[in-house]
Amino acid sequence: MTVYRTSGFNDHYQYFNYSTKTLPNGLGVGGQMGHFGLWIDSGFTHGGSNTAATFSSPQLSTCDEFNIDMVEVWLVRPSQRHDVAGEGTENMQKSAVEANPEAAAMLEMA
């Protein structure tokens, strides 16, 4: 296992886009559009890897593009849920998107 820390070359740490037609939908880490250090598409079926100046990392896979068999996700800190009914939800503020559904619709159209 290897840890690749930020190189300071750029600040392209993470890209995330979902449900739009004008930009790629998925998760990219390091690098730039079309050349991420690690790319996972929004369907979690395809991925890719390139060298990334953001972390001075090599290509993480043997091929530029690959099919994803399984994704494993780890939680680094304990989860604190406040979205369960009856457990502190009365004092929670709504997010900007939840509080303004019209604005969210305009953003989606844009």
Side-chain angles (χ1 to χ4, degrees):
M1 183 182 294
T2 303
V3 175
Y4 295 102
R5 301 192 188 285
T6 180
S7 66
F9 182 76
N10 60 41
D11 62 355
H12 304 167
Y13 304 118
Q14 188 172 337
Y15 166 88
F16 178 74
N17 189 37
Y18 182 73
S19 192
T20 63
K21 296 179 194 277
T22 57
L23 294 169
N25 291 298
L27 172 67
V29 180
Q32 59 190 9
M33 197 72 69
H35 299 282
F36 289 109
L38 177 64
W39 169 256
I40 299 174
D41 74 350
S42 62
F44 289 84
T45 56
H46 296 79
S49 180
N50 293 284
T51 59
T54 307
F55 300 106
S56 296
S57 60
Q59 183 172 313
L60 302 173
S61 63
T62 56
C63 300
D64 292 357
E65 297 180 8
F66 50 84
N67 292 325
I68 297 173
D69 293 328
M70 181 174 51
V71 175
E72 183 174 337
V73 179
W74 292 20
L75 178 65
V76 180
R77 62 175 174 72
S79 176
Q80 296 178 349
R81 291 193 55 173
H82 297 287
D83 61 343
V84 179
E87 293 185 18
T89 56
E90 60 278 352
N91 295 326
M92 287 183 56
Q93 291 182 326
K94 290 184 176 182
S95 72
V97 173
E98 291 173 327
N100 301 297
E102 297 84 10
M106 290 299 291
L107 284 171
E108 182 64 31
M109 287 189 286

